Amino acid sequence: MTELKTQILHDDQIGLEQAARILSNGGLVSFPTETVYGLGADAHNGRAVASVYAAKGRPSFNPLIVHVANLETAKRFAQFDKTALDLADAFWPGPVSLVLPLVKNHGLSELVTAGLDTVAIRMPDHKTAQALLKTFDGPLAAPSANPSGRISPTSCEHVISDMNGMIDAVVDGGNCYVGVESTILKIDVDRVSLLRAGGLPIEAVEACLGYSIAKPQDPQTPQSPGQLQSHYAPNAAVRLNATKAEADEVLLAFGPNSQGAALNLSATGDMVEAAANLFAYMRDIDEIASTSKSIAISPIPMTGLGLAINDRLKRAAAPRD
Ligand code: AMP
Ligand code: MG
């Protein structure tokens, strides 16, 4: 058993106050959101934000998402036009981040925005995230709490197993119930584009707006900085759209036809369940594959959360360099 160097805090008043103190002093605290566990730092504090990149070993300064407790706080940093207000009203708190123009004198660290004139902002729904943001009483920059390029954590155990000794504390608030990162929408003078598929299905966004929006494959859509091909990579090689496992493979299945599967993302073919299981099962299957086998993954339909799941899987299977 390796020595525990990162404090595990309860999500009660004592734990949350301790977490807020650490954050105010420039420390790093991981906390659960409904999407994945975030690696939080005071978004005003450049050193704290820099240490986020250091702890993650990120290869570049991709901009981070700023987490806030309420719309009032969000407006201190970002300009909300009518479309942005409509989306915030419909989906916050929830798994969608809005990329909006910065306001003057926002006071955020430049590292948070990677020097851009926009900021990605989100109000999470998870009760532990809400409680911490209220106790801290400020914005938290928080990418996922995993080393760069690795699978995002959806439980306190995942965070400890990946980041022990690299961060000050983690608030244990149980498992993440959405399990994939937030959907990212860029809003530019009432024009909306999808930068990253995620926990909020794009169909819901389009239903709210009443029109369809630009997707990442459209040439006019801006690229989200840091959408690395070989992201979320397990140690074992990954083969997608596999209908069955070969002798040297372990199968991560989806749906009822799953003979010989080591694990099944959802035996009933439920996309929400599959998304919630995705990162934990990617880790588990990687352990089962160990050093001698590779991973085969069943096809997942490209509807609803399937877009986000397939996006993650494609990165997991991308050639490594
Ligand atoms: P992560 O925090 O690891 O979930 O990643 C945050 C994502 O948000 C990255 O893909 C960033 O490139 C994207 N992002 C954050 N801020 C901006 C911004 N101002 N403009 C465009 N994309 C952004
Ligand atoms: Mg991440």
Side-chain angles (χ1 to χ4, degrees):
M1 183 57 203
T2 44
E3 190 195 343
L4 191 62
K5 293 185 183 140
T6 292
Q7 286 182 65
I8 299 179
L9 302 171
H10 294 296
D11 66 345
D12 56 14
Q13 203 51 36
I14 293 175
L16 293 168
E17 277 170 12
Q18 171 68 355
R21 232 181 342 261
I22 294 170
L23 289 163
S24 299
N25 290 328
L28 300 185
V29 177
S30 176
F31 61 96
T33 76
E34 66 275 27
T35 60
V36 301
Y37 267 70
L39 176 43
D42 178 355
H44 290 302
N45 181 336
R47 290 180 69 96
V49 178
S51 62
V52 168
Y53 291 98
K56 284 180 66 76
R58 271 213 174 160
S60 62
F61 287 127
N62 309 324
L64 305 178
I65 296 169
V66 174
H67 294 68
V68 294
N70 49 47
L71 186 60
E72 193 193 316
T73 310
K75 285 181 176 168
R76 301 211 313 254
F77 310 116
Q79 299 172 38
F80 284 74
D81 62 12
K82 164 101 175 50
T83 305
L85 285 175
D86 287 348
L87 291 168
D89 194 42
F91 300 117
W92 278 2
V96 61
S97 302
L98 303 178
V99 174
L100 301 169
L102 280 164
V103 302
K104 278 212 177 77
N105 303 321
H106 53 76
L108 297 171
S109 149
E110 275 252 278
L111 278 182
V112 170
T113 54
L116 301 171
D117 51 11
T118 53
V119 60
I121 201 149
R122 177 163 102 84
M123 188 196 306
D125 182 50
H126 195 291
K127 69 173 181 16
T128 306
Q130 278 281 337
L132 179 62
L133 285 163
K134 283 187 189 123
T135 309
F136 176 64
D137 194 24
L140 291 177
S144 53
N146 53 278
S148 182
R150 305 285 304 165
I151 299 165
S152 297
T154 52
S155 71
C156 181
E157 292 74 39
H158 293 161
V159 176
I160 288 296
S161 102
D162 277 357
M163 306 295 283
N164 185 24
M166 283 133 94
I167 61 175
D168 299 289
V170 50
V171 183
D172 187 355
N175 292 344
C176 306
Y177 46 86
V178 172
V180 291
E181 282 102 341
S182 60
T183 299
I184 303 180
L185 301 174
K186 185 171 165 82
I187 299 158
D188 200 0
V189 205
D190 286 313
R191 192 185 115 83
V192 182
S193 35
L194 174 70
L195 296 188
R196 176 174 81 185
L200 178 69
I202 203 60
E203 291 87 343
V205 176
E206 293 182 330
C208 169
L209 294 170
Y211 51 84
S212 43
I213 65 174
K215 312 288 184 325
Q217 60 269 29
D218 300 346
Q220 76 276 27
T221 301
Q223 277 290 306
S224 200
Q227 296 266 294
L228 297 177
Q229 259 303 319
S230 158
H231 219 65
Y232 313 101
N235 291 312
V238 176
R239 180 169 71 91
L240 300 182
N241 296 316
T243 43
K244 70 177 193 41
E246 303 299 338
D248 61 345
E249 290 178 328
V250 288
L251 181 65
L252 177 59
F254 173 81
N257 301 320
S258 58
Q259 258 169 12
L263 288 171
N264 196 328
L265 288 166
S266 167
T268 57
D270 179 343
M271 219 59 109
V272 176
E273 185 189 13
N277 286 334
L278 183 65
F279 287 127
Y281 282 21
M282 289 292 287
R283 282 166 187 274
D284 293 350
I285 199 88
D286 200 25
E287 282 210 350
I288 296 168
S290 185
T291 50
S292 57
K293 298 216 169 180
S294 58
I295 300 168
I297 304 182
S298 301
I300 316 252
M302 285 288 275
T303 52
L305 285 175
L307 240 71
I309 295 172
N310 278 299
D311 180 64
R312 301 300 179 275
L313 293 177
K314 210 168 74 200
R315 285 170 207 286
R320 326 266 166 87
D321 48 28

